[in-house]
Amino acid sequence: MPNRTRWSLNSPKSLLMFLIPPLILVFIWRFLPRTDVFPIYSNENTSLPPLYPDLQDEERRLPQHNLDLPYPEGRSAKMLRFGNQIWGLGLNNQLQETLLNTYIAYLAQRTYVFTPFTWDLNNRPFVPIAPDGHLVGSPYKVRPARVPLTAYINSPTTGSPWPPGDPAPRSVSVEWWDRVCPESERLHINTAVVNAQIGVDFDKDEGIDIVEKWAKYIRSIEHRCINILFATPRIIDFGGDYKRHCEWLSTFASFEGWNRLPFLPDQFNPPSDSASRAQYALNRCWIEIDDVVKRLDKLREEHPDADLNNIFVSTNGPTEWLEELKKRLWEKGWQSVVTSRDLELSWREQGVDNAVDMELAARGEVFLGNGYSSFSSTIVRIRMVRGLPPKNTRIW
Ligand SMILES: *[C@@H]1O[C@H](CO)[C@@H](O)[C@H](O)[C@H]1NC(C)=O
């Protein structure tokens, strides 16, 4: 504590020190170029969703946020930021793209720049939930504008080390990127221009071909700070109103993401004429109580080894609908039927209740997902990564 004395209020030096910081702050505010970073606010009001500022602090303290580390990290690290990354869509839409982008950065041998889970890019802590929004069952009327990504995932995408022996550089936060790659040092890449240049053909190329063409192109660039701009091809998904979406999707869409894995037992094989196709697709998307009861009965028969007795229903359906469903399932002899609405979660857990549901679903002995759901797709992915047998990962 020897320095304390020098900070005594009586000393003229300390008065100067007190005056200078506000001036500096104003200066920075006015003259720095626009940055990518928007704050995660602090919030202790439990009538509002949690914002996890402590997790942002932890992200800040990642050991790779250090200029003195040797290449491929440190001051010469070659970074890849996807400035075009989607925001304002549900968690699993954002996760899909985030994982794909991590993979591209990995193949390109670059540091992936991760961002918060983002509903809004404005400088405010919360945004209203639209009437048809995802969080129908949410106790809150607003959602966080941004949540640190580590509230949901803890993985190489969010800066954890790659497996031992893998020389890939660890991911860094967008806040770090903003600091070490200021605007003047960024190389902005326009995807439309590059797609033409590297011969991406969306009609002919498989997804993996496109990813590899991009990775090869980015590997060929020496520039330290690459920022990808404009729309890259994305897997676009949909929001919470399933009925309307199912009707719309049934006319053209196939299953979402990982739900299409060719070794899963329930493939999407629609008839070719358009009317029957639409009906087939609608039947596999929009599900009423009778259908659920029948399908779960059948599932119990199809998985005799699993000794299925208990059901967890991940849902944002209305309470009356769920009570009816429970009643019908109990009549069929299921021992327990629990829904998302029955979970008792702490304030911090409630803020990531969708991830809690996903973890429960990922651990189910048998999982039955909706093929059109990116939520289901992530669960399928987690189950496959964990080595669970594909035969127990079912699609409606
Ligand atoms: C907490 O937030 C709610 C909803 O915005 C508000 O009505 C209430 O006054 C806040 N409580 C405190 C103590 O700030």
Side-chain angles (χ1 to χ4, degrees), residues 382-393:
I382 296 171
R383 291 174 66 92
M384 294 306 105
V385 169
R386 291 184 185 168
L388 296 175
K391 72 178 177 52
N392 288 356
T393 295

Side-chain angles (χ1 to χ4, degrees), residues 24-183:
I24 291 175
L25 279 181
V26 170
F27 181 79
I28 290 172
W29 182 255
R30 294 278 308 276
F31 296 101
L32 269 191
R34 200 198 76 89
T35 67
D36 288 337
V37 177
F38 296 93
I40 306 283
Y41 289 84
S42 186
N43 165 45
E44 299 295 326
N45 182 343
T46 53
S47 310
L48 295 163
L51 300 176
Y52 314 99
D54 55 312
L55 296 181
Q56 190 188 35
D57 282 344
E58 267 176 43
E59 291 177 2
R60 266 185 203 129
R61 288 196 298 270
L62 282 170
Q64 58 268 39
H65 294 160
N66 175 356
L67 290 176
D68 294 333
L69 293 176
Y71 184 81
E73 298 179 330
R75 71 188 72 251
S76 3
K78 291 161 90 177
M79 313 232 174
L80 183 55
R81 156 104 170 102
F82 292 82
N84 62 340
Q85 201 155 295
I86 53 163
W87 53 272
L89 288 180
L91 172 68
N92 289 289
N93 303 111
Q94 297 195 33
L95 269 187
Q96 277 174 345
E97 195 170 81
T98 297
L99 295 176
L100 178 64
N101 290 350
T102 308
Y103 185 55
I104 292 173
Y106 178 85
L107 291 179
Q109 295 157 5
R110 278 190 173 254
T111 302
Y112 176 66
V113 178
F114 68 91
T115 58
F117 169 59
T118 303
W119 274 109
D120 193 88
L121 290 175
N122 284 318
N123 260 333
R124 53 183 175 176
F126 301 106
V127 287
I129 298 175
D132 64 346
H134 288 247
L135 306 177
V136 178
S138 168
Y140 311 112
K141 300 219 169 5
V142 293
R143 56 175 42 129
R146 290 166 297 277
V147 170
L149 197 53
T150 49
Y152 291 102
I153 59 171
N154 221 331
S155 73
T157 292
T158 53
S160 302
W162 293 96
D166 193 321
R170 290 167 292 184
S171 303
V172 299
S173 73
V174 70
E175 206 177 73
W176 180 254
W177 148 272
D178 231 21
R179 216 170 108 193
V180 301
C181 286
E183 180 57 37

